[in-house]
Amino acid sequence: MDLLQKIGYRMHLVLLAVLGVLMSGCATRSAPVNLYDFGPLDAVSANSAVTAPAALSIAAIQVPAALNNQSMLYRLDYVNDLQPRSYAGSRWSMPPAQLLEQRLKARLAQAGTVVLSGSEGANTLPVLRIEVDEVMQRFSSAQQSRAQLGLRATLFNGRTLLAQKSFHQHAPAASADAAGGARAMAHASDALIDELIAWLAALPPPQKK
């Protein structure tokens, strides 16, 4: 093999190596991720029967470790209802507990409640603490699913327990995918929040400390 042939052979090997790197980069490039939240808050009718407390302090919502991230979780109940799964190409825009807390505060403010964080109003206002148990899209078949939301709400006046109640809501998904699950979860969260606000409004006012 003469000198020109050796140079040509080496250049061929270099080109193959560069091409391999480029191809591996294309193969590992991740697809764009779709982000979802609960959408805009609907306007409340002037004739709405939902009332709300005058003022309330809300502590940061607590969640199990599995929900402390942006994953959109689902279960294929018809395959294995013991196995939670997550969508590969879809995420919540923030952890679902934060979306729920944001929605709750906005809905309370919309209903006329003065809303403070737990640290701001703990000494003067009742404090609402929420523990989320479930934020899940559940498939009963490949074509049918529903969003399920569950939480436990506890109201304190200082260290005194005033009331506690568990809430559960579900809403059917219009499509068997992440987009359908996100919209259904928004409907479920709004229904649950209205139920929670009605419960708070029905409680006797706390005694002054």
Side-chain angles (χ1 to χ4, degrees):
M1 182 181 296
D2 59 27
L3 180 60
L4 290 177
Q5 287 179 320
K6 289 182 179 179
I7 293 175
Y9 178 71
R10 289 176 180 175
M11 289 181 65
H12 178 70
L13 292 178
V14 171
L15 287 174
L16 286 176
V18 171
L19 182 61
V21 171
L22 291 175
M23 290 181 66
S24 64
C26 292
T28 58
R29 185 178 299 167
S30 59
V33 174
N34 297 312
L35 296 179
Y36 294 93
D37 57 22
F38 291 166
L41 189 66
D42 292 336
V44 176
S45 169
N47 298 322
S48 175
V50 177
T51 58
L56 188 66
S57 180
I58 300 178
I61 292 181
Q62 301 299 307
V63 295
L67 295 176
N68 194 23
N69 54 67
Q70 293 173 248
S71 297
M72 297 184 71
L73 300 178
Y74 66 94
R75 291 181 191 271
L76 302 179
D77 290 345
Y78 63 97
V79 175
N80 183 357
D81 62 358
L82 300 180
Q83 184 179 18
R85 308 164 190 251
S86 62
Y87 285 104
S90 298
R91 298 284 187 274
W92 293 114
S93 61
M94 61 182 73
Q98 293 182 26
L99 288 173
L100 184 64
E101 182 177 337
Q102 183 183 68
R103 193 73 154 196
L104 174 60
K105 289 179 177 179
R107 181 66 183 88
L108 283 166
Q110 187 183 54
T113 299
V114 175
V115 181
L116 299 177
S117 70
S119 59
E120 292 173 328
N123 294 326
T124 57
L125 296 174
V127 178
L128 178 65
R129 300 185 185 277
I130 292 176
E131 297 174 72
V132 175
D133 299 318
E134 183 178 27
V135 181
M136 183 76 65
Q137 183 180 4
R138 304 194 68 157
F139 285 81
S140 56
S141 70
Q143 293 78 33
Q144 291 186 325
S145 69
R146 67 189 184 277
Q148 288 200 177
L149 177 61
L151 59 81
R152 182 170 57 258
T154 308
L155 189 66
F156 287 92
N157 185 27
R159 295 186 177 181
T160 302
L161 173 64
L162 298 179
Q164 185 180 79
K165 184 177 179 179
S166 293
F167 296 85
H168 298 275
Q169 280 287 346
H170 62 86
S175 57
D177 54 15
R183 188 169 296 278
M185 192 63 70
H187 292 322
S189 69
D190 286 345
L192 188 148
I193 287 171
D194 282 348
E195 185 182 354
L196 175 59
I197 292 175
W199 171 71
L200 290 170
L203 294 175
Q207 298 180 352
K208 294 182 178 180
K209 293 185 288 183

